[in-house]
Amino acid sequence: MTTPRPLPGRDESYWMESTDAPEHPPLTEDVEVDVAVVGGGVAGLSTAWELARAGRSVAVLEADRVAAGVTGYTTAKVSALHSLVYGKLRRTRGAEAARLYATSQQDAVERLAAIVEEQAIPCDLERVSAFSYATDPASRDAIETEAHAAAEAGLAASYVTRTDLPFPIAGAVRLDGQAQFHPRKYLLALTADLVARGGRVYERSRVTGLTEGSPCRLTTEAQRSVTARDVVVATHYPVFDRAMLFARLSPRRELVVAAPIDADRAPKGMYITQDEGKRSVRSAPLDDGRRLLIVTGEEFTPGTGDPREAFSRLDSWMHERFPVGPTAYRWAAQDNDPSDTVPLVGPFHPGARHTYVATGFGGWGMTGGVLAGRLLTSLITGSEAPPPWADLYDPRRLASTLRQAPALLGQQAEVAKHFVADRLRVTHVDSVADIPPGAGAVVRVKGRRCAVHRDEDGTVRAVSARCTHLGCLVAFNEAETAWECPCHGSRFGVDGSVLQGPAVRPLEEMDVADDEEG
């Protein structure tokens, strides 16, 4: 193995680097509330805020820091135009489903904008146009079909052949009146208002157990509990599987690079294409009058591929097509794609009476999280009828799941491949001694697979290579210095600590001293 070469830019999300957040205490005593929300991202915080606004006592339990997980690493587009979703929905779910999807997503755009105005939140909200475009002429028909399907679904969408991108396109769907913003500034303000309304927020309080009943009970790794009439699981990828959700979600990571650009040369809208390995583009205002161009793409399953090469490709694409300065930031975001395209928001499973879930936003968590807050609040409080699109998002939907059987089988075949084949793979590292500084590898030591990382100073850290979720073998992501599970997307630090679920337990520490000496 060779020592990893450096990548351009600061290894941090701009949203994270540009905001300071007040700390909230961990859960140190047993508490009782009306509703407990597991997860402090956009879905969890939106739900908790809506519930507190409706007069419910609420507790949010976050494993790390609020608005610092997936939400802190998003692209932060707030749009009802989701690449080519409407053509697919019309084919697989029918025209009415596409209409309900469009109505609910645009409603979420307007709801977020209304909250920003009502709460006077300084989160750089800008109303802009969204574009789904193609550069390959062979993709033009799909773009025209999408424009027609989106318009038929009720959106004011149109087909265009020109944009303000600095390169030619084959065609695009345009939707005006969408938005982009600073997600952390928004959610931190929402959290402050939640607390002011009597809501409780507990950070560094990882939930490890859920007992359903009347009431429900959550337990944390610190052996503290929250008793609540209702529980919402909004952990991005559910940490509990009560409705075959693991079989209906596919995790993927996307890389992000960002660089300053003169304001008058920055694209005015938000753009996404499935061409060229997928590319998503937007910009955000900087304090010096310039803007930050944010480019996303190069998606891959966690624990697979070569993220360093992917970062280089994405960075090269940005510099070749836009007059940007040196790369300032790089980061990665993780999303979960549902097997039938539509997020899963509603009762956790067919027998659920007081447990709910919000997941599977497929890369569009800003509108999805706001939508989840409104939908779950209506279901929990019963103060008003659920919105007409509630059934579309219901996790218990069976007919849609059966229609998507090929996708389900494909996802599970991929999981099975990793579960079996990764155990048969012969590693290219024979011993711990072969691992250079800054690198990591799975090594067999005394008959056990160990995930071993060597720090730049030579310090070796070894943990079990078996993911604590369902036992798949992890792989090392050099670009982000993390162990990743390719089966369901759990991520771990080099010390074995859980960075991202669904795993809730750390990787076991291992002793590889003898192999290191050898």
Side-chain angles (χ1 to χ4, degrees), residues 223-247:
Q223 299 304 307
R224 295 300 179 186
S225 68
V226 176
T227 301
R229 180 182 185 277
D230 298 289
V231 169
V232 174
V233 179
T235 54
H236 194 61
Y237 199 112
V239 292
F240 309 108
D241 189 15
R242 304 286 166 99
M244 289 183 61
L245 296 187
F246 293 167

Side-chain angles (χ1 to χ4, degrees), residues 324-356:
V324 295
T327 303
Y329 302 93
R330 71 177 188 278
W331 69 88
Q334 190 150 317
D335 291 303
N336 297 306
D337 296 319
S339 58
D340 67 351
T341 306
V342 178
L344 303 143
V345 182
F348 207 167
H349 55 81
R353 296 295 178 267
H354 297 286
T355 52
Y356 303 84

Side-chain angles (χ1 to χ4, degrees), residues 122-308:
C123 60
D124 304 328
L125 182 75
E126 300 172 316
R127 299 303 291 257
V128 296
S129 298
F131 297 83
S132 294
Y133 73 94
T135 54
D136 185 348
S139 302
R140 186 181 293 119
D141 287 348
I143 293 294
E144 289 193 65
T145 297
E146 181 66 13
H148 176 73
E152 185 184 70
L155 296 176
S158 60
Y159 175 75
V160 298
T161 56
R162 300 186 66 177
T163 68
D164 70 341
L165 289 171
F167 51 82
I169 64 166
V173 186
R174 174 173 178 159
L175 181 61
D176 297 334
Q178 306 306 287
Q180 56 189 15
F181 74 140
H182 192 305
R184 289 258 298 169
K185 290 180 180 179
Y186 171 78
L187 286 174
L188 294 175
L190 209 64
T191 302
D193 190 63
L194 167 65
V195 172
R197 293 174 184 270
R200 310 180 196 184
V201 177
Y202 300 104
E203 294 183 326
R204 298 187 174 92
S205 301
R206 186 178 300 280
V207 172
T208 57
L210 165 61
T211 302
E212 298 185 53
S214 297
C216 300
R217 184 171 180 266
L218 292 168
T219 53
T220 70
E221 61 184 353
Q223 299 304 307
R224 295 300 179 186
S225 68
V226 176
T227 301
R229 180 182 185 277
D230 298 289
V231 169
V232 174
V233 179
T235 54
H236 194 61
Y237 199 112
V239 292
F240 309 108
D241 189 15
R242 304 286 166 99
M244 289 183 61
L245 296 187
F246 293 167
R248 298 162 66 185
L249 296 169
S250 296
R252 62 178 165 86
R253 286 186 78 71
E254 287 185 318
L255 306 182
V256 185
V257 290
I261 186 172
D262 289 343
D264 60 355
R265 305 187 75 179
K268 301 299 187 294
M270 305 180 296
Y271 299 85
I272 190 168
T273 181
Q274 297 299 319
D275 294 344
E276 302 181 273
K278 187 176 182 181
R279 297 290 184 262
S280 172
V281 178
R282 64 155 289 194
S283 68
L286 294 172
D287 291 339
D288 62 5
R290 295 182 297 171
R291 295 185 70 86
L292 186 72
L293 188 74
I294 303 169
V295 178
T296 308
E298 297 293 332
E299 61 184 35
F300 58 95
T301 300
T304 68
D306 186 346
R308 298 185 70 84

